[in-house]
Amino acid sequence: MFYLAKQTKASAEQTHAAADQTHAATEQTKISNAVAAVSANDMVLRSLREVHILMLERPGIRGYFYADKPLPEQADERDEIITIAELLADVMSSGVHVHEKVPDSASAAPWADYCRHTVENSPVLRDLLQAHPTWWPHLTAVLPASLVHAGSGGGGRTAIPTPVGEG
């Protein structure tokens, strides 16, 4: 009988140790997920800062993305703005994708709100997404259909030229 009691006690201690290890592993996973969320968000914000630096280097260009300013007629300036719009769409889409993949990201909803607000206030982004909705699937997934479908924000015209070979 004494042997059975000793074995039961040893088994209980092993079970308790295993439970402690499981708890520690769970806590470590939570910490790792939180670190991943912060790191991913930081990467997206660094990319956004790079686009904002491009805007700062070109006075007056911010309005095309945040103040409903229509694309200019001059080809050089127009091309420059479209290129920055493509970069901004890349960053926004990347941010949405990152937030989808990181389960503990508390900034997923604010990021989606930022994307919607920016596209709502940028004819160039609306036109770009309407001309090429499949280029940024993660971004278009968080936008209302009215912002992505032709005729809903670009004045019924496509201001973005289609690259050679598409059409």
Side-chain angles (χ1 to χ4, degrees), residues 13-75:
E13 287 173 353
Q14 288 175 346
T15 301
H16 182 69
D20 286 347
Q21 287 177 339
T22 300
H23 178 72
T26 300
E27 288 303 310
Q28 183 61 41
T29 299
K30 287 179 185 176
I31 291 168
S32 294
N33 286 344
V35 169
V38 168
S39 182
N41 193 50
D42 184 56
M43 183 270 307
V44 170
L45 292 177
R46 267 187 271 135
S47 297
L48 183 59
R49 277 191 288 279
E50 292 296 320
V51 174
H52 284 162
I53 288 169
L54 291 174
M55 290 180 194
L56 286 170
E57 292 170 345
R58 293 153 180 83
I61 210 166
R62 184 178 170 84
Y64 295 107
F65 303 97
Y66 298 106
D68 229 11
K69 190 174 177 181
L71 273 170
E73 296 298 323
Q74 183 183 3

Side-chain angles (χ1 to χ4, degrees), residues 19-20 54 70 76 80 82 87 99 116 122-123 135 137 142 145 166:
D20 286 347
L54 291 174
D76 288 349
E80 183 176 53
I82 290 170
L87 292 170
H99 286 97
R116 279 188 291 275
S122 176
W135 289 7
V142 299
E166 285 193 22

Side-chain angles (χ1 to χ4, degrees), residues 57-150:
E57 292 170 345
R58 293 153 180 83
I61 210 166
R62 184 178 170 84
Y64 295 107
F65 303 97
Y66 298 106
D68 229 11
K69 190 174 177 181
L71 273 170
E73 296 298 323
Q74 183 183 3
D76 288 349
E77 188 178 3
R78 188 179 178 83
D79 289 346
E80 183 176 53
I81 292 164
I82 290 170
T83 300
I84 293 172
E86 289 169 338
L87 292 170
L88 184 54
D90 288 343
V91 170
M92 290 191 299
S93 189
S94 212
V96 171
H97 185 65
V98 162
H99 286 97
E100 288 171 350
K101 295 295 180 191
V102 179
D104 292 339
S105 176
S107 58
W111 183 257
D113 289 343
Y114 165 76
C115 292
R116 279 188 291 275
H117 173 79
T118 303
V119 174
E120 285 171 356
N121 290 288
S122 176
V124 65
L125 280 171
R126 286 192 305 270
D127 287 345
L128 187 62
L129 292 170
Q130 289 167 7
H132 309 289
T134 60
W135 289 7
W136 298 278
H138 298 287
L139 176 57
T140 57
V142 299
L143 300 175
S146 63
L147 291 178
V148 181
H149 292 77

